[in-house]
Amino acid sequence: MRMPRRVPLLAALCLGVAPLCAQIGDKAGEPQVPIVPANLIPPSPPLSAEEALRSFKVAPGYRIELVAEAPLVRHPTVLQFAPDGRLWVVEMTGYMEDFDGTTEAQAKGSVVVLSDTDGDGRMDKRTVFLDNIILPRALVLHRDGALVGAPPHLWFCRDTDGDGKADEKTEVATDFGVRVDPSRPQLANPERAPNALLWGHDGWLYAGAYTARFKFTDGKWVRENSTFRGQWGLGQDDYGRLYSNNNSDLLRVDVVNSSYLLRNPHLGRNTGLNTKAAVEQTVWPARVNPGINRGYRPEMLRDFKLKECTAACGPWVYRSDLFPADAYGNAFICEPAGNLVKRLVLNPEKGLVKGKAFYDQQEFVASTDERFRPVNALTGPEGALYLVDMHHGVIQHRISLTSYLRKQGEDRGLIAPLHLGRLWRVVPEGHKTAGLKGLAGLKPAELIAELGSGNEWRRETAQRLLIESGDKSLAAALTAFGRETSSPMGRVHAMWTQHGLGVADWTFVSAGLADADPRVRAAALRVSESLVAGPQRTEVIARWTEMAAKETVPEVQVQLALTMGEAKDLTVDLAAAALAQRAAEHIAIQDAFISGLAGRELEVFAAVLKQPAAYSKTLPAALLRCVFAERKPARVAQALAIIGGLPLRSQQVTLLGSLATHPTVTAKRPIKLDAEPPALAKLSKSKDAAMLKALAWFKSTVVWPGKPGVVVPTTQALTNEEQALFDNGRQTFAGLCAACHQPTGKGLEGLAPPLAESEWVLGEPDRIVKVVMHGLRGPIKVKGMTYSYDMPAAGFLSDEQIAGVLTYIRREWDHEASPVSVDLVKKIREENKGRTDAWTEPELTKK
């Protein structure tokens, strides 16, 4: 599915193409004149599997094979391998079965299990595990069942009577997206719904396009906040870093696990979490591509073929030994609009990851068949790369479908036939295909041995099965295996298995901290965090401190800075600060360090300034910003006193100036102090122009009783009616807004601006009402940063819903702005009832 980062806004008509009725994805006034000459566009008839095999162009040294096809599998979107080697498949039947999406609210989806009964490598038996569900989109296996995501539900489903069909459903989450409402397509946009369940090395279950993670502990599901990532698909590397992408961004990576950065609410927006990995976005299809949503724009095509990705999805990091060694750690990315699969080589770069195309002007897999729609990839039990081919002519959802694309689909009859689908596998030339050998029935000792497999599916599945067994008596065997195995990843998974069983062994972990392989050291650091509160605390901290002075590998350095925050000890903090200074080239290292200091930034700020070693200007300034973000009057006054006591005037000016220029602080409302800080009066006596300039800003952002010309505001409590709006607005925000703007209100780098402390949220309510009602077309400046951002119109919400969600964001996150009344929303709707276009910043800020 193509999942647009810039969501198109409602348009009244389409120029250039003259359909009977305009599509939701049309932009007002934009001509849609086809570029590709009609005589160059080949027909797109449904091909047999044999014909489809001839349409592929596969990279030298590899071949592609059919695994399953309709009617055995229909509209497949997600694939998982069970321990016994059977294939579990999500079928999203009901999705875009006509150009108006009229069947998407019907319970037509299913989860099926495919078997190869004769061992020839092709599936030949279909069992329906779960059916009659609406647009299912997520699947992962766990214990004796499966977690299935079908918005708004995330269920754990079991077959309790052995007939192969689920007969028990346990609700794990009720906010796993928004249920489809045909009358309000923007509210339940399936292109932004949660998906891609993935077990991390740490035993947590992560999801794409969702803001939580899960773990099954002591017989119940535990939920924690996470961050929104990607649009469709999720992968991980040997460090356990998560990979995602967006339609026009081939690959992104979480260089820091989001659980760390969420530790500190004062940190604000950061640069170290989700970063662009793909150096370029170019693709090289095997056929002309008129059938893309904006194919009438010249910049979209090169020689009538797709120039850059427009439907990137299903990223997968291959970590198996079946392919040649040069493929290990490469990323394989699906691009269904271009009918191809791209291969990127991932290389470390100062703690980041950069991906470059493996092939020059060609792709790993490309097809001349327009109906080849790869949407997911996965490593199998034998090490092959499996591709999920939805094999549906129209993959653009109606919320973004343009009149141009509709006509393209009609001209080539791409809707029919329905309910096709294929699964493919890519193997090296010379590989002998046979039935799959799984892990079912293996004894614990055999599963432990599989932790050292060269195939990531086998070692990660073995870890999961061992943890699910709950057998704590395996601790000694895991330690013995970790000491004896020659596989670094075997040692990594042995440690994580012990951690998952709650039997982490300090002697084993301690050896891991000194391992020659950085992947093992990074994993040992994370596992050691569970031991720092126990009897080995002194030894654990000593090892962390020792490593901080010596570690040179960026990936381990950033993990060390994150881990040391768990000690909550000033001496350890200073050692971590020195590490952050030494490894300052790493883009995430400073945020990693500060993430562990929540509520202790002032004390570390004071201690860092006393150190004889020279620290960069950025670290003390970043700590100071956190003190201001904390907004505790006594601590703000204390920080000012510390600055006032510094011997160098230049250092005082630098620190105060950093507050005056950083959007994390400048966008905040005034801080209410109990009294005028003595240090402020002392510093104000300076005749230095730079100092007076910095102080002028400072004085404007703090208030106190008796401050000349200032009346310290008080926040008026919400009435019962306003509180009801707030409570209802919280629900609307969670379902419609949180995916992009995040539950914390901090937004998403490169996608959605922050709402917390935003001048747009806290300013005059008229502007934000207009934005919600009609949408907003970027660029827009928020908290000092510019966003090229298109926000979709939400005028389909009722007046009460708009008033509620705006009241919520104006009072959440310590905001004290006035609530928004239903009457105000009604008034603005009436005044702008003829408007069809989105607002722009100049329009909204015009005096």
Side-chain angles (χ1 to χ4, degrees), residues 700-734:
S700 71
T701 199
V702 295
V703 296
W704 58 86
K707 182 178 180 180
V710 174
V711 176
V712 179
T714 58
T715 304
Q716 186 172 350
L718 297 177
T719 65
N720 290 339
E721 181 181 353
E722 291 165 346
Q723 185 63 49
L725 283 174
F726 177 94
D727 293 339
N728 292 331
R730 185 198 302 273
Q731 308 248 343
T732 303
F733 180 84

Side-chain angles (χ1 to χ4, degrees), residues 252-392:
R252 301 187 70 84
V253 57
D254 287 10
V255 294
V256 170
N257 189 288
S258 63
S259 63
Y260 288 108
L261 297 181
L262 292 174
R263 294 181 297 185
N264 192 342
H266 312 139
L267 187 56
R269 296 179 65 76
N270 59 79
T271 55
L273 175 56
N274 186 267
T275 62
K276 185 185 290 290
V279 174
E280 295 181 340
Q281 310 302 328
T282 53
V283 293
W284 300 90
R287 56 164 287 131
V288 294
N289 302 116
I292 58 173
N293 205 33
R294 307 290 173 190
Y296 51 83
R297 292 178 179 174
E299 67 270 19
M300 298 294 293
L301 303 175
R302 175 206 312 111
D303 298 330
F304 306 132
K305 297 179 179 180
L306 185 64
K307 180 180 179 182
E308 295 185 339
C309 64
T310 187
C313 62
W316 190 253
V317 181
Y318 182 83
R319 295 170 292 121
S320 183
D321 54 4
L322 180 65
F323 282 13
D326 63 6
Y328 192 95
N330 287 188
F332 293 85
I333 298 141
C334 299
E335 219 302 351
N339 320 110
L340 60 87
V341 178
K342 192 168 192 70
R343 177 180 174 184
L344 297 180
V345 180
L346 305 183
N347 291 307
E349 186 176 300
K350 296 179 181 178
L352 301 181
V353 179
K354 294 299 179 183
K356 296 184 179 180
F358 186 87
Y359 304 103
D360 182 24
Q361 298 189 17
Q362 70 177 81
E363 302 298 353
F364 181 65
V365 173
S367 176
T368 57
D369 180 8
E370 190 171 13
R371 296 172 188 261
F372 172 60
R373 303 294 194 184
V375 295
N376 249 319
L378 185 72
T379 304
E382 83 283 42
L385 183 68
Y386 285 72
L387 302 177
V388 180
D389 176 8
M390 193 175 184
H391 213 77
H392 188 47

Side-chain angles (χ1 to χ4, degrees), residues 29-288:
E30 182 179 43
Q32 297 185 17
V33 180
I35 294 175
V36 183
N39 65 307
L40 295 183
I41 303 174
S44 297
L47 302 180
S48 68
E50 289 69 25
E51 291 171 326
L53 280 168
R54 293 193 292 272
S55 77
F56 285 115
K57 295 183 178 180
V58 185
Y62 296 90
R63 73 171 189 268
I64 191 166
E65 303 173 342
L66 182 69
V67 178
E69 64 174 327
L72 208 62
V73 62
R74 302 171 299 185
H75 283 198
T77 55
V78 181
L79 173 67
Q80 291 282 298
F81 283 96
D84 60 9
R86 291 188 301 164
L87 286 171
W88 288 56
V89 185
V90 171
E91 297 181 326
M92 199 187 285
T93 40
Y95 178 83
M96 291 303 290
E97 294 191 352
D98 56 45
F99 289 105
D100 298 311
T102 59
T103 63
E104 66 182 10
Q106 299 176 17
K108 304 178 73 170
S110 56
V111 175
V112 301
V113 183
L114 306 183
S115 306
D116 172 14
T117 62
D118 57 12
D120 66 351
R122 282 200 184 185
M123 302 296 120
D124 49 43
K125 180 182 177 182
R126 168 189 172 95
T127 303
V128 178
F129 175 74
L130 183 67
D131 57 5
N132 299 322
I133 49 179
I134 299 174
L135 297 187
R137 52 196 302 109
L139 171 72
V140 76
L141 303 181
H142 173 63
R143 295 182 290 143
D144 59 346
L147 284 130
V148 178
H153 307 286
L154 178 62
W155 294 301
F156 178 60
C157 304
R158 297 175 63 228
D159 165 24
T160 64
D161 57 13
D163 66 353
K165 191 174 183 66
D167 49 50
E168 178 184 280
K169 275 198 241 180
T170 302
E171 192 90 64
V172 177
T174 58
D175 63 345
F176 203 72
V178 179
R179 183 167 181 163
V180 169
D181 182 345
S183 66
R184 299 189 294 170
Q186 296 94 336
L187 183 62
N189 183 356
E191 299 181 347
R192 280 285 179 191
N195 63 87
L197 296 170
L198 177 73
W199 288 112
H201 292 172
D202 56 7
W204 283 94
L205 181 62
Y206 293 89
Y210 193 51
T211 55
R213 62 177 189 170
F214 300 92
K215 179 183 281 191
F216 190 75
T217 303
D218 297 329
K220 62 182 180 181
W221 288 100
V222 177
R223 174 180 177 138
E224 282 190 359
N225 286 340
S226 186
T227 51
F228 185 97
R229 60 181 66 78
Q231 290 184 325
W232 183 265
L234 208 57
Q236 67 181 324
D237 63 13
D238 280 350
Y239 282 101
R241 295 177 295 199
L242 299 179
Y243 289 76
S244 58
N245 56 14
N246 295 302
N247 64 302
S248 57
D249 191 346
L250 281 168
L251 194 65
R252 301 187 70 84
V253 57
D254 287 10
V255 294
V256 170
N257 189 288
S258 63
S259 63
Y260 288 108
L261 297 181
L262 292 174
R263 294 181 297 185
N264 192 342
H266 312 139
L267 187 56
R269 296 179 65 76
N270 59 79
T271 55
L273 175 56
N274 186 267
T275 62
K276 185 185 290 290
V279 174
E280 295 181 340
Q281 310 302 328
T282 53
V283 293
W284 300 90
R287 56 164 287 131
V288 294

Side-chain angles (χ1 to χ4, degrees), residues 547-705:
M547 289 181 70
K550 298 178 180 179
E551 183 59 59
T552 59
V553 177
E555 290 80 4
V556 185
Q557 287 177 328
V558 73
Q559 183 56 56
L560 188 52
L562 293 164
T563 293
M564 292 176 80
E566 293 298 303
K568 300 183 180 3
D569 178 277
L570 184 58
T571 301
V572 179
D573 292 337
L574 290 176
L579 167 65
Q581 172 65 17
R582 184 166 62 85
E585 285 189 340
H586 192 311
I587 191 173
I589 194 86
Q590 185 167 284
D591 284 347
F593 165 56
I594 297 174
S595 73
L597 302 179
R600 297 183 291 116
E601 299 93 339
L602 176 62
E603 290 72 20
V604 176
F605 172 69
V608 162
L609 290 175
K610 293 177 181 177
Q611 297 303 301
Y615 283 87
S616 69
K617 295 179 181 179
T618 61
L619 179 56
L623 292 168
L624 181 62
R625 288 195 294 271
C626 287
V627 175
F628 270 70
E630 191 178 13
R631 301 184 61 81
K632 290 186 177 179
R635 292 173 69 79
V636 169
Q638 190 176 347
L640 186 59
I642 292 170
I643 295 171
L646 293 173
L648 297 177
R649 181 61 55 86
S650 61
Q651 194 175 18
Q652 294 174 328
V653 171
T654 296
L655 288 171
L656 290 170
S658 72
L659 292 173
T661 58
H662 199 279
T664 301
V665 176
T666 55
K668 290 183 178 290
R669 62 200 181 284
I671 299 172
K672 303 173 189 176
L673 302 181
D674 297 330
E676 181 181 8
L680 182 60
K682 178 181 177 182
L683 290 168
S684 297
K685 296 178 180 179
S686 171
K687 299 187 182 302
D688 182 87
M691 172 64 78
L692 294 176
K693 181 179 179 181
L695 285 175
W697 171 85
F698 186 89
K699 290 178 179 179
S700 71
T701 199
V702 295
V703 296
W704 58 86

